[in-house]
Amino acid sequence: MNAAHGVDFELAERVHAALRAEGGTLAVAESLTGGLLAAALVDVPGASATFRGSVTAYATGLKASVLGVDEGLLDVYGPVHPLVAGQMAEGVRRLLGADYGLATTGVAGPEPQDGQPVGTVHLAVAGPGGTLVRSPRLSGGRATIRHGAVTAALELLAGRLAQRDAG
């Protein structure tokens, strides 16, 4: 466990190792995790070999203007939606020229947001073969939810990379 971020350091190491094995690169788009995902990734020595960079688009408007999330989608559903996570991952992948994009959006609390309860989380990984979105329900306080989202995002990417290795 990485004491600085509450994230499984070995999980981040495995993600980098899998990316190196296929010569892949990663970019991250974060909202609810506010930079924690990027921090977990750069804690691994040698991260620059696979990690291109990140965009922390905390403000809803940045999701559209920087990451290319459809404004109509944001108007109808708000920033906490599975399709928004998918478009964030696709947008950061394109913007930063990476093989994979990984995105987080959700509600960490302490209050619900746009009708979405605390603990609502949407994660996405975009890469060769398309975009995969997962929506785990997390519980606990704000910090617990944010750290849980980082771990779940790394697990999602690790699983996606393992599938490519197996295929």
Side-chain angles (χ1 to χ4, degrees):
M1 187 70 101
N2 177 333
H5 302 292
V7 173
D8 186 339
F9 183 78
E10 291 177 1
L11 180 56
E13 283 183 314
R14 282 200 322 267
V15 164
H16 283 297
L19 285 165
R20 276 193 306 277
E22 73 172 54
T25 57
L26 174 64
V28 169
E30 298 186 70
S31 185
L32 104 132
T33 50
L36 289 175
L37 180 54
L41 288 161
V42 300
D43 276 348
V44 176
S48 61
T50 57
F51 185 62
R52 300 270 307 150
S54 65
V55 172
T56 301
Y58 209 65
T60 299
L62 292 177
K63 291 172 181 66
S65 66
V66 175
L67 296 173
V69 175
D70 181 85
E71 288 182 27
L73 179 67
L74 291 167
D75 288 344
V76 172
Y77 296 107
V80 181
H81 192 273
L83 293 174
V84 171
Q87 288 188 11
M88 287 173 65
E90 292 160 3
V92 79
R93 178 184 182 219
R94 187 173 48 250
L95 181 68
L96 300 185
D99 297 302
Y100 293 90
L102 185 60
T104 67
T105 189
V107 182
E111 301 296 323
Q113 177 186 336
D114 298 324
Q116 301 290 329
V118 172
T120 301
V121 173
H122 304 293
L123 311 168
V125 59
T131 301
L132 179 63
V133 179
R134 291 289 180 263
S135 299
R137 282 283 298 145
L138 302 179
S139 60
R142 182 174 173 79
T144 301
I145 290 169
R146 292 176 68 227
H147 290 297
V150 169
T151 299
L154 291 171
E155 288 171 345
L156 177 63
L157 178 58
R160 174 73 177 270
L161 293 167
Q163 286 177 337
R164 280 189 54 85
D165 288 344

